[in-house]
Amino acid sequence: MATITLKGKPAAKTRSADGEKRAPLRGKGVSKPRPTLAKAQAERAEREEQFQKAQQQRQQRDAPPARAERPARPNTTAFKPERPPAARPEAPAPRAERSPRSRPEAGPREDRPPRVDQRRVAHRGPGFEPPQRPAPARAADSEDGDRLSKRMSELKLASRREADEWIAAGWVRVNGKVAVLGQRVVGEVQIDIDPAARQAQAQLVTVLLHKPIGYVSGQAEDGYEPAVVLFQPENRWKDDPSGIKPHPNHHRHLAPAGRLDIDSTGLLVLTQDGRIAKALIGDDSDIEKEYLVRVEFVAHPVPEGTLPNAALTPDKLALLNHGLELDGEPLKPAKVSWQNEQQLRFVLREGKKRQIRRMCELVGLKVVGLKRVRIGRIPLGHLPVGQWRYLAPWERF
């Protein structure tokens, strides 16, 4: 019978020299035998004991040092030797026999001023005068020259109110010297403005409002509210192009620059900037204001169905453009033309009280609707009724 011999590594022995069965080979060595349950429990108990000891040592190390025990108090019931009676202190000498204290001689009481309690007015002594606060520097009024604030307004540096505020803040110099309130200037002078004043002026805002009918442009009157009450965040136009963020200071000193009657609607300007107010309503203002005016002809009876543009004669239309007087003063030339059969287009460069309505009455027309659609280069546009927007930094009247 033939025998086959396999060459290569010898087969691993499955039993030791003592005859015990070996564990199978795994990887590069023999795996450790698994510990018994009793041995695992003993190791776990040993580790837990070591952990408890380490915890106790850590607590002892971190604990504050214990206070030293106080020695026991001696027994007070023991025998005490008798003490000799203590000598009593001698009685103090009579008050008259005491030696006087050494202190400086005080003058007679009549020479001292009475004490005055400054905290209460009722405790102040006779003839008391409270300290006077120094008044702000103010130049003595003189008949020569113009007031500095007026000169600054004429030079369009600021409004008179702004000029007074700048002078009080020390932001104005005249010929190199700090100006004072009430100062007058004569002839040509050099007026310098501190950049801080320009910065404060740049933060002033102007609001464009589409005033509805039923609101007055200025102070409240006869139960009607002023238009400025509409300047609220919820009434801001959603398409405002200015990008200005609302601020509580924008409500301070916000005043209308021009009037618009209670029964009129359209563009109304509210501003904090005195320069804009002066440009719009100043005596030398030359900014145009455009209106659309719906009218009816009431001068004399006309055939039924006759439109106002056919009833008004050309000479009356010419008077609307130039030649009328109000309150004994001739009006500046205007531009008046027909927008359609019932509506006139007015372009004025002045703003007297109810001027358009009174002009129409003089030529036999009655105004039934009035809307301001432009001031200077700023149109009303698509601004909804009762809403507002800021004047953008790049916009100019």
Side-chain angles (χ1 to χ4, degrees), residues 320-376:
L320 287 176
N321 282 270
H322 186 52
L324 295 178
E325 294 184 359
L326 290 179
D327 301 328
E329 296 181 1
L331 296 177
K332 294 181 179 180
K335 298 177 183 178
V336 184
S337 60
W338 287 104
Q339 185 76 7
N340 53 46
E341 293 86 353
Q342 297 178 336
Q343 201 171 48
L344 286 167
R345 172 180 171 269
F346 276 74
V347 179
L348 305 180
R349 293 182 179 272
E350 57 186 340
K352 295 184 179 296
K353 186 175 181 179
R354 304 181 69 85
Q355 177 175 343
I356 293 179
R357 299 177 188 273
R358 295 164 67 187
M359 289 174 64
C360 290
E361 290 175 359
L362 293 177
V363 295
L365 295 175
K366 178 183 177 182
V367 175
V368 295
L370 189 149
K371 182 179 182 180
R372 183 156 61 195
V373 296
R374 178 175 64 89
I375 298 179

Side-chain angles (χ1 to χ4, degrees), residues 2 50 61 65 84 103 114 135 166 194 253 270 289 303 336 354 358 363:
Q50 293 177 357
R61 183 175 65 253
R103 58 182 179 182
W166 294 359
D194 193 284
H253 307 302
L270 307 172
K289 302 173 183 65
V336 184
R354 304 181 69 85
R358 295 164 67 187
V363 295

Side-chain angles (χ1 to χ4, degrees), residues 47-116:
R47 290 196 301 270
E48 186 175 357
E49 184 180 0
Q50 293 177 357
F51 177 76
Q52 294 293 342
K53 289 182 179 180
Q55 286 288 97
Q56 293 178 1
Q57 292 176 1
R58 189 178 298 108
Q59 291 177 0
Q60 292 176 0
R61 183 175 65 253
D62 298 340
R67 301 176 65 179
E69 296 185 359
R70 306 174 75 177
R73 300 181 64 179
N75 188 6
T76 56
T77 60
F79 172 78
K80 295 182 181 179
E82 294 183 1
R83 294 182 179 178
R88 293 185 178 181
E90 297 181 359
R95 193 175 186 87
E97 297 178 1
R98 289 185 181 179
S99 59
R101 296 179 182 177
S102 58
R103 58 182 179 182
E105 295 182 359
R109 189 172 295 274
E110 290 77 5
D111 297 341
R112 301 181 194 175
R115 293 184 179 180
V116 177

